[in-house]
Amino acid sequence: MLKTNHIIDTILFASRDIIVISDAEQQILQVNTAFENYFSNPPDDSLRMMLADLLVNDSDNEKNFQNTLASYQDWEGEVMVKNNENKISKMFACCRWTDDEVSGEKSCITIFWKQQYDVQQYDKLTALPNYFLFLDRIEQALIAAPRTNKSVALLMIGLDHFARINDGLGHDIGDKVLIAIAGRLSDAIRRSDTVARFEGDKFGLVMQITTVEDSVLVAEKILKVLNNAFIIDDQSISITASIGISISPDDTLDRDELVKNTESAMRHLKKLGGNHYQFFSREMNQKAKTRIDMENKLRHALKNKEFVVYYQPKVNLENNAVVGAEALVRWLDPEKGLIPPGDFIPVAEEAGLIGDIGEFVLLTACQENSLWYKNGLNPARISVNVTASQFSDKNLVKKVQSALTQTQLPPHLLELEITESSLIGDMEKVIEKLQIFRDMGIHISIDDFGTGYSSLSYLSRFPITTLKIDRAFINGMETDAKTAEITSAIIGLSRGLSLEVVAEGAESIEHVNLLRKQGCDLVQGFFFSRPVPANEFEVILGQGYLYDS
Ligand code: C2E
Ligand code: MG
Ligand code: MG
C-alpha cells in the first residue's frame, strides 16, 4: 500500500486544478504543478508569497475571502486570480482548514479552478455585457479591425468617488445610479460598439475607430452625459468619471495588456482628481508596475511588522509646554530605509490595507502614550490620522474602543485627525459617528483645514474639538499678507466656535511669532521639532517644554 504522503504528492502532481497549501497566517507552504504552470513561478519564490497575493483584491468577495480565512473558517466563491505577469482570470476557489493531528497546527488547503462552462455573460444589475463577454468582444474587435484598416480603442470608465454614494446614500441608491449610468452609456454609443460593466464602479467601452480623435470625441461625450445630474428617488446626484484610453495596435496587440494599460491610465487620472480622459503611456505602465510591486511589499511589511510610529510634538504658544503630539507612521523598508507615509498611504488605501496599518498606528500610539502617562510624565494628547475610508469603516468605533480598553489610556488623551474631505455623504450619519467618539471623551480635529470643501454651516454642527490649519497657509504667511489674513480668519473662526486651533508646519521663528500674535493655541512644525521616534519624544515629554529662542 502507498504511503499517505506519496498519495498526496501524486494528487498534487496530477491535478489540473491549482492547489495551494498555506499556514495559519496564510503564508504559502506548498503548491502543485498546476500552480507553477499558471504562475510560472519557481516553487521557492511561491513559498514566500501570501495566499492573498494571488488575488486582484479589488472586490467585496475577495475581502470576504480574506476576512473569512482570517477567522479560520472555510470559504468558497469566485475570485480574480492574477499571475506574476498580471494576467487576470476569474476562478472558483474552495478553501478548507485542517488541523494537524499531532501538533494541532492549522493549514488551509485552497483549490482554484476556472469555471468556463457556466459563466454568465451579462451583468445582473445593469444587464450590460459583463467582464467575460466584454473580453470576448475586445478579442473580436482586435481580429476584425485590421481587416478594414481600423484600430481598436478601449475605454475604461471609472466613476469618481462612487464609494461616497454607496456609503452616504446607501447601496440601493448606489445600484439605481449604476443602472441609470448603464442606460446613458448605452445611449451614447454606436450599436456596433460594446459598453460593458467591468465590475463595481467600472464600465468599459470597446470600439473600432478610424482615427484616435474618434475616441476623444466619444470620451468627451460620455463625460458630458454623465455630468448631467441623476435624479434618483427625488435626490439629485452628480457623477464624474475618469476615462482611461488605450489603442491597439498603437499601444499593444495583446488583449490583456490593452485592458491593463487602459486601467492604469484610468487610475492615474483618478489620482489627479478625475472628471477627464487620459491616454495610456509607457511611463504610466512603469508606474502601474511599481504600484503593484509596492502593494505586495506592503502586505509583507504588515506581516513583518516593518511600520513604526513617529511623534511630532504640539506646543502651547502661551507657555511653550509640550501638550501632545501627532502620531505619524513610517515604513522601515529593509532595502530602502525609512519611507514617508505620502509614498505609501495612497497605495495602502487603494489596496485595502489602510485599515490594518491604521489599526497598528492607533494601538501603538495608545500603548506608548499609556505607558508615558503611567510613568508620571505630563499627560499628552496624541492624535492619530484617520483617512476617509477608515472613517467610513463600520468597525472604527469598535477598533478605537478596543484600543483604549486594551491599553487603559484615558480617552481624553486620544485625538482623531480627520480630513475635511472625509466628512461628506450623509451628514446626519457623520455627525452621529463623531458624537459617539465625543461621548467616549475622545478629541476630534479636522486636519488640513482650509484645503477641503467643508460647508461652514455643517462646521458648527460637527461635534469636533479642534481645527488644524493646513501647512499651505502657514508656509507663506510671513511674506504674503493675504495668506496671513486666512490664518487669522481661521483662528477667529475657531474662537467663535469655541474650538481649539492648531497650526501645522511652522518652520521659522517668524511663523511662530505671527501665529502667537494672531492668538493661535498650538503649533506643530519643524521649528520646534520634526517627527521623532518614541524614545526621543519621551525625552521631550520629560523635559516638558520646547523653546523658541
Ligand atoms: P498630516 O496629517 O497633515 O501630517 C502632517 C505632515 O506635515 C507630516 O508629514 C509632518 O511631518 C509634516 N510637517 C509637520 N511640520 C512640518 C513643517 O514644519 N514643514 C514641513 N515641510 N512639513 C511638516 P508626514 O509624516 O510625511 O505625513 C504626511 C501625511 O501622511 C499626513 O499628513 C497624513 O495625512 C498621512 N499619515 C501619516 N501617518 C498616518 C497614519 O498613521 N495614518 C494615516 N491614515 N495617515 C497618515
Ligand atoms: Mg494629520
Ligand atoms: Mg495635516
Side-chain angles (χ1 to χ4, degrees):
M1 185 148 147
L2 282 166
K3 284 240 176 77
T4 322
N5 274 351
H6 191 67
I7 295 175
I8 292 172
D9 283 348
T10 310
I11 294 172
L12 285 177
F13 179 75
S15 167
R16 299 286 164 95
D17 296 335
I18 294 170
I19 304 178
V20 180
I21 304 175
S22 47
D23 68 11
E25 265 76 51
Q26 292 153 44
Q27 175 153 23
I28 295 177
L29 299 174
Q30 198 175 352
V31 295
N32 72 339
T33 319
F35 175 100
E36 286 162 33
N37 291 342
Y38 180 75
F39 286 88
S40 45
N41 250 13
D44 284 349
D45 267 359
S46 315
L47 301 186
R48 262 176 258 133
M49 294 173 79
M50 307 295 292
L51 192 56
D53 294 342
L54 310 178
L55 306 185
V56 174
N57 286 317
D58 220 359
S59 69
D60 287 342
N61 218 20
E62 283 164 20
K63 281 186 196 124
N64 179 268
F65 166 93
Q66 291 198 42
N67 291 339
T68 309
L69 291 193
S71 53
Y72 304 119
Q73 291 175 53
D74 295 342
W75 190 88
E76 51 188 71
E78 268 178 348
V79 285
M80 294 297 213
V81 178
K82 62 169 192 245
N83 75 358
N84 44 356
E85 284 150 8
N86 279 311
K87 186 176 168 133
I88 295 171
S89 310
K90 194 169 199 166
M91 293 195 191
F92 200 80
C94 176
C95 316
R96 292 284 178 268
W97 284 99
T98 90
D99 295 340
D100 186 279
E101 276 170 17
V102 185
S103 65
E105 261 172 14
K106 285 186 181 301
S107 333
C108 179
I109 297 162
T110 306
I111 304 178
F112 294 99
W113 70 94
K114 278 198 185 171
Q115 256 195 332
Q116 274 151 342
Y117 35 91
D118 72 353
V119 165
Q120 300 203 341
Q121 300 207 305
Y122 290 87
D123 174 46
K124 285 201 188 81
L125 181 68
T126 60
L128 290 179
N130 70 6
Y131 183 73
F132 291 102
L133 184 54
F134 189 53
L135 289 184
D136 190 55
R137 295 277 168 89
I138 300 171
E139 192 84 60
Q140 285 176 17
L142 289 174
I143 296 167
R147 293 190 192 136
T148 48
N149 269 337
K150 288 194 170 169
S151 305
V152 172
L154 182 64
L155 278 69
M156 174 96 71
I157 304 152
L159 308 178
D160 299 329
H161 313 297
F162 191 71
R164 288 183 191 168
I165 294 181
N166 265 337
D167 295 342
L169 304 175
H171 284 260
D172 273 1
I173 302 260
D175 283 355
K176 287 182 186 167
V177 175
L178 289 171
I179 293 168
I181 289 172
R184 286 197 194 171
L185 291 178
S186 305
D187 290 345
I189 62 160
R190 291 179 308 201
R191 287 182 55 153
S192 54
D193 303 337
T194 300
V195 63
R197 172 135 178 251
F198 222 73
E199 59 183 10
D201 56 1
K202 281 183 227 150
F203 293 82
L205 169 59
V206 61
M207 53 189 198
Q208 294 189 35
I209 53 169
T210 316
T211 68
V212 170
E213 283 71 37
D214 295 347
S215 59
V216 171
L217 290 177
V218 173
E220 284 176 347
K221 186 169 172 193
I222 290 173
L223 289 174
K224 202 165 144 218
V225 298
L226 292 183
N227 274 348
N228 287 332
F230 290 84
I231 309 292
I232 308 278
D233 292 354
D234 293 333
Q235 302 204 53
S236 170
I237 296 168
S238 306
I239 294 278
T240 62
S242 303
I243 305 180
I245 309 174
S246 183
I247 310 280
S248 177
D250 307 33
D251 294 326
T252 173
L253 290 168
D254 180 76
R255 180 195 72 181
D256 293 340
E257 204 174 322
L258 193 67
V259 172
K260 215 175 66 197
N261 293 350
T262 315
E263 181 147 24
S264 55
M266 183 206 69
R267 276 181 191 276
H268 183 77
L269 188 56
K270 268 203 174 180
K271 280 207 194 99
L272 300 177
N275 197 18
H276 218 292
Y277 59 86
Q278 162 133 36
F279 283 87
F280 163 79
S281 69
R282 301 265 152 236
E283 168 196 332
M284 217 177 264
N285 194 23
Q286 194 47 46
K287 272 198 190 139
K289 281 211 179 87
T290 319
R291 195 186 139 271
I292 291 167
D293 204 43
M294 182 180 269
E295 237 182 80
N296 290 334
K297 279 183 148 184
L298 276 172
R299 285 207 177 85
H300 287 286
L302 262 170
K303 191 162 178 268
N304 297 345
K305 305 202 164 34
E306 289 169 10
F307 294 104
V308 275
V309 177
Y310 273 41
Y311 297 89
Q312 188 177 32
K314 291 183 193 169
V315 176
N316 182 334
L317 282 184
E318 256 179 27
N319 54 10
N320 283 25
V322 175
V323 295
E326 175 172 10
L328 294 157
V329 69
R330 269 94 185 93
W331 174 12
L332 197 59
D333 183 78
E335 286 164 26
K336 292 191 184 148
L338 216 57
I339 304 180
D343 291 0
F344 65 88
I345 295 266
V347 181
E349 183 135 53
E350 268 185 44
L353 297 170
I354 190 72
D356 290 343
I357 298 178
E359 222 175 313
F360 163 78
V361 175
L362 175 71
L363 202 61
T364 309
C366 289
Q367 239 155 19
E368 293 180 327
N369 196 20
S370 176
L371 208 65
W372 296 323
Y373 180 68
K374 280 181 200 150
N375 288 346
L377 294 173
N378 282 337
R381 194 163 76 223
I382 305 291
S383 60
V384 171
N385 290 286
V386 172
T387 63
S389 66
Q390 286 176 273
F391 186 70
S392 56
D393 175 2
K394 287 187 199 71
N395 293 322
L396 182 68
V397 173
K398 251 193 247 154
K399 285 177 184 170
V400 171
Q401 241 153 5
S402 137
L404 288 174
T405 323
Q406 266 184 66
T407 61
Q408 297 176 309
L409 179 75
H412 72 277
L413 297 184
L414 176 65
E415 176 170 316
L416 301 180
E417 289 196 11
I418 305 171
T419 52
E420 259 183 296
S421 43
S422 312
L423 303 176
I424 46 143
D426 183 342
M427 287 302 169
E428 298 310 319
K429 277 204 186 128
V430 167
I431 291 172
E432 204 178 296
K433 198 160 196 178
L434 292 173
Q435 191 61 50
I436 296 176
F437 289 121
R438 286 299 297 129
D439 291 345
M440 287 161 70
I442 294 167
H443 287 244
I444 307 269
S445 63
I446 298 198
D447 202 358
D448 304 341
F449 185 76
T451 59
Y453 37 84
S454 60
S455 130
L456 290 181
S457 63
Y458 274 112
L459 196 59
S460 63
R461 292 192 51 212
F462 285 144
I464 53 170
T465 49
T466 309
L467 291 186
K468 274 192 99 173
I469 312 176
D470 191 67
R471 200 164 75 215
F473 300 113
I474 311 303
N475 175 16
M477 68 183 293
E478 76 280 24
T479 47
D480 180 22
K482 282 190 183 150
T483 309
E485 273 307 321
I486 293 177
T487 56
S488 170
I490 298 178
I491 293 168
L493 182 68
S494 313
R495 284 278 154 282
L497 296 171
S498 308
L499 299 173
E500 176 189 62
V501 56
V502 186
E504 174 174 276
E507 293 185 350
S508 65
I509 186 75
E510 286 82 11
H511 291 156
V512 171
N513 286 339
L514 266 168
L515 286 163
R516 185 180 283 122
K517 212 164 97 195
Q518 292 184 343
C520 184
D521 301 316
L522 307 182
V523 151
Q524 171 189 344
F526 291 175
F527 176 74
F528 282 113
S529 169
R530 287 181 176 260
V532 293
N535 58 342
E536 285 181 39
F537 181 67
E538 188 177 348
V539 174
I540 293 176
L541 204 56
Q543 146 195 324
Y545 297 90
L546 280 170
Y547 295 101
D548 64 357
S549 50

